[in-house]
Amino acid sequence: KVDMAVSFEILERLQNKERGSYDKVAANIDMMLERGYPFGIRTTFTPESVSSMTEMVEHLHVRFPKLKRVVYDTVLAPSLFPAPEDLEKYYDDFLDGFYAAKKIAATYGIQIDSVAVEMLSMIRDRTCEGKIVLTPMGTISSCARVSSPKESLYGAYTYGEVKNGKVDFDNERFSGIINESNIYSQEICRNCFAKWNCGGGCRLFHHSFSPEYEKVRCDFVKKSLKRQLVAVLADRFKKNTGRDFDGYIRGKIENGELLVSGIVLTIVGFVLLCWKGKSNSLEREGIVCPECQHIVRPGVKYCTWCGAKMPENQQITDDNERE
């Protein structure tokens, strides 16, 4: 089964400016919805369009009433952010706009997701596991955003090709790509509470932006994780009590029953506790590969990082063998 993803800026003025052909794309979306084809919409926001998130939801509800799921994504374009402060503002606007749009979308039965800001359920030691992207040249790239020899990073992201009816992978090159950007290879990740959810960040981001932008990206991840945690707590509080979490907390503060600093420390403490638990669990249950020193799941025959054979004294259970 192959599902399609349609890059679509939803609003006609933005689609025609960024990608063009609004009428054709909209007509094809109508056709796929009518025929029941499985596909999703992916919208990428620039500093210009980031303030239009809620407007897009309203437009979707009216123009594409059968469309019930959209993914919002951040843009990766260094030229749009002359200074780190510009990127920081964009990220803050994206985070605020996303949750405002998500709230409105829910009233229409539309699901708005974003892998850029919703990572609470993810446990990973690298952000990208490495994709198999077939380029127009027949080469294989590890990133969908790097696909042309005209791009300066093309050589650093390709690791195979399809030629004469055969697929040829350069496993050594692929291992080098995978091992470059992860939570073990970056000092900034060492003591970060969000590292197991973040995975160390996008490799293309590291290659595209200068080092002073890295802290901005890292802060955005931590803000997003905290924001999602509060949103999950609020949702569960609502289901269990029927009350608004924000209103409840504000009432407690106004009555002097809670201090703002105490609330913040409690939430941050809970996040740290979750991270510590994940970290300790992984380190306690995992086995260290003798070749690359990465932690792997107990019971596996080969390291999922470098492919090295694990020590024979590890017991392979029937359950693990089936996995």
Side-chain angles (χ1 to χ4, degrees):
K1 181 182 178 181
V2 177
D3 293 341
M4 288 193 297
V6 180
S7 296
F8 186 49
E9 309 315 314
I10 300 175
L11 300 177
E12 184 173 1
R13 68 177 188 277
L14 296 176
Q15 173 69 18
N16 285 336
K17 181 175 181 178
E18 298 294 334
R19 304 182 190 275
S21 304
Y22 174 88
D23 291 336
K24 290 182 179 179
V25 177
N28 285 328
I29 289 174
D30 288 333
M31 179 271 292
M32 289 189 288
L33 288 170
E34 187 65 30
R35 298 185 182 183
Y37 290 163
F39 74 99
I41 295 294
R42 183 188 185 96
T43 303
T44 302
F45 292 86
T46 65
E48 178 184 353
S49 63
V50 73
S51 62
S52 302
M53 289 187 178
T54 55
E55 182 186 355
M56 289 182 181
V57 171
E58 298 290 355
H59 184 74
L60 281 174
H61 174 59
V62 175
R63 175 62 182 80
F64 304 97
K66 293 183 179 180
L67 193 56
K68 297 300 181 182
R69 186 172 184 182
V70 180
V71 173
Y72 281 3
D73 200 8
T74 54
V75 69
L76 202 163
S79 61
L80 296 178
F81 308 101
E85 294 77 16
D86 299 314
L87 182 62
E88 181 179 17
K89 182 182 184 306
Y90 165 75
Y91 279 154
D92 287 343
D93 290 343
F94 185 96
L95 193 56
D96 290 340
F98 170 75
Y99 277 101
K102 193 177 183 72
K103 185 176 181 179
I104 296 174
T107 66
Y108 296 138
I110 301 172
Q111 182 177 339
I112 304 290
D113 297 315
S114 176
V115 294
V117 301
E118 296 177 307
M119 60 194 81
L120 191 59
S121 63
M122 301 177 186
I123 300 178
R124 52 189 177 173
D125 49 13
R126 58 181 181 267
T127 298
C128 181
E129 296 182 353
K131 298 179 175 65
I132 301 176
V133 181
L134 181 62
T135 73
M137 279 62 63
T139 54
I140 298 172
S141 174
S142 60
C143 180
R145 292 174 171 175
V146 181
S147 59
S148 170
K150 295 181 180 180
E151 298 173 88
S152 61
L153 294 172
Y154 177 77
Y157 281 76
T158 51
Y159 62 94
E161 64 178 338
V162 178
K163 191 174 183 179
N164 298 325
K166 296 182 179 180
V167 180
D168 180 33
F169 287 105
D170 186 330
N171 292 324
E172 183 177 350
R173 190 177 185 84
F174 181 73
S175 295
I177 291 173
I178 290 301
N179 288 327
E180 183 179 329
S181 297
N182 53 66
I183 64 173
Y184 310 106
S185 63
Q186 301 176 105
E187 183 63 29
I188 195 172
C189 299
R190 184 176 298 277
N191 297 312
C192 180
F193 75 84
K195 66 181 181 180
W196 290 109
N197 301 96
C198 167
C202 170
R203 180 173 180 248
L204 186 57
F205 182 98
H206 301 319
H207 285 166
S208 301
F209 285 91
S210 53
E212 60 266 27
Y213 286 82
E214 187 58 40
K215 183 179 183 302
V216 176
R217 184 204 63 81
C218 188
D219 287 344
F220 172 60
V221 170
K222 289 184 281 191
K223 289 176 184 177
S224 298
L225 189 56
K226 293 175 185 177
R227 184 78 169 261
Q228 188 184 7
L229 178 60
V230 172
V232 170
L233 291 174
D235 181 62
R236 293 181 180 178
F237 185 81
K238 180 75 172 181
K239 290 179 179 178
N240 292 331
T241 69
R243 289 183 288 177
D244 178 69
F245 182 71
D246 184 65
Y248 173 79
I249 295 298
R250 289 181 183 277
K252 290 291 185 181
I253 294 174
E254 291 173 359
N255 294 332
E257 298 177 49
L258 287 174
L259 296 176
V260 176
S261 58
I263 296 172
V264 173
L265 287 174
T266 299
I267 293 174
V268 173
F270 184 74
V271 173
L272 288 172
L273 183 62
C274 291
W275 162 69
K276 194 69 174 179
K278 290 176 184 175
S279 178
N280 289 343
S281 175
L282 285 168
E283 292 173 5
R284 181 175 61 253
E285 298 176 3
I287 302 297
V288 176
C289 171
E291 295 294 329
C292 67
Q293 305 303 310
H294 287 115
I295 299 171
V296 298
R297 181 170 57 82
V300 297
K301 288 183 177 180
Y302 299 94
C303 175
T304 52
W305 278 85
C306 67
K309 188 173 183 179
M310 298 302 291
E312 293 183 358
N313 60 358
Q314 289 189 46
Q315 298 298 312
I316 306 297
T317 66
D318 290 340
D319 288 340
N320 281 331
E321 190 66 44
R322 282 194 294 272
E323 290 179 10

